[in-house]
Amino acid sequence: MATALVLDRSDIDRVAAEARRVLAANRRRGISEWDGRRYDFVCPSPTHYPFQWFWDSAFHAIALLHVDPELSKQELRCLMQGAQPDGFIPHMLLWEKGSHAHWLQDEYSIRLAHPFYTATIQPPVVARAVERIFDATRDEAFVREIVPPILRFFRWLRRVRDPDDDGLVAIIQPDESGLDASPKYDTAMGIPSDPPTATLPALRRSMQRLFRAYEGVSPERQPLLDVFLFEDVMMNGIYADGLRALARLCRAVGLPDGDEVERESRRTLAALMTKCWDQERGAFWDLSGVREERVPVLTFTSLFPLILSDLDEGIADRLVRDHLLNEREFWLPFPIPSVAADDPSFDPAWQTATTWRGPTWVNVNWYLYWGLREHGFADVAGELARRTVAMQARGGIREFYDPRTGAGEGATDFGWSCLVLDLIAAERMSP
Ligand code: GLC
């Protein structure tokens, strides 16, 4: 690892103050046209993302622990208004739909299940968020209130999104992992990575093709069409970690489901090992289609099982030493880039004008920070946290960053980049 970065006290304070400002400024409150429901949550970015997103809100809830834990609970209570009787929870709730028609019509490619929510999912970070809220507050009543709809969602994932019953859940369009335009989906989506200007139009066309295929087909049958089916390593890492968190929460408050969800968590990790782990390359690969073809495109996803506390130590060691700390791949001046720097699709300066093709994201750094600590790499974790703060001192609280320069890119005032507050607290950078 390169020499440790020394941070200026004033940089730390400025980044923390900016993060708190964003968490306050992005708050949206009111009564929705949707059944007169009350909403009160933090939107990802007032300029680009004015609605409530599933995994964003879970990250916001964790960042809000450093402002007021009551606001963390509020964030998740608002999110759970999307939970449906069959267990499904949508990835977007369109609270102020009437005021933001432009985004829905011209900018996003989304499928709706209802005028006020989407038909699609996002990674279930929410279980980890509840665990963190419980650790901070010991509020058992909150856990008993919020865990049942989350358990139902995990069961929905197993029932609807694991048709081959191997313990790995599938996404059926790229944005369901939250990694919209990651190059690992290019082959399945028919997207050229060159020239950069071709990527976005091709992605939009492919999304429309998928939407037409799913039209009128029940959620249970959609994965069986096999038009886009990814057993995504990051999604399943978050799923397995969520099941582990739920098991702990259930036991802590006397809910009877602990053993069942822990068994499921182990099954998912075992499947990641037998189906996705490549011993030769020392990396995990996503599986594409019912034929489960491995997709050997090196992105941060390949290292993501590091977040799992029961990952084998020898495997964790290889992920860190062979890849994370490799300066040709992921250990750039402002790590961790979303795509390895030596992959042909690496686009750190955002020339493709689309996401997850090279820049560094703070939610990824946050998850890997805790994974590194879990597996005995506290020094690497500390350095990653310091470089994240340094990056935000240069680039502001942005959606993502150029891993070579720390320049901010994408949306401004981006909610989950406020996870830096958790890194600052964990590293005791602030008094
Ligand atoms: C972008 C990201 C997605 C996120 C959304 C709202 O589409 O790729 O992961 O949930 O913005 O912030």
Side-chain angles (χ1 to χ4, degrees), residues 44 49 53 55-56 122 177-180 355-356 361 399 414 416:
Y49 306 110
W53 268 262
W55 75 331
D56 296 72
Q122 264 188 337
S177 65
L179 310 179
D180 313 12
T355 49
W356 301 101
W361 294 71
E399 188 176 5
F414 191 69
W416 80 42

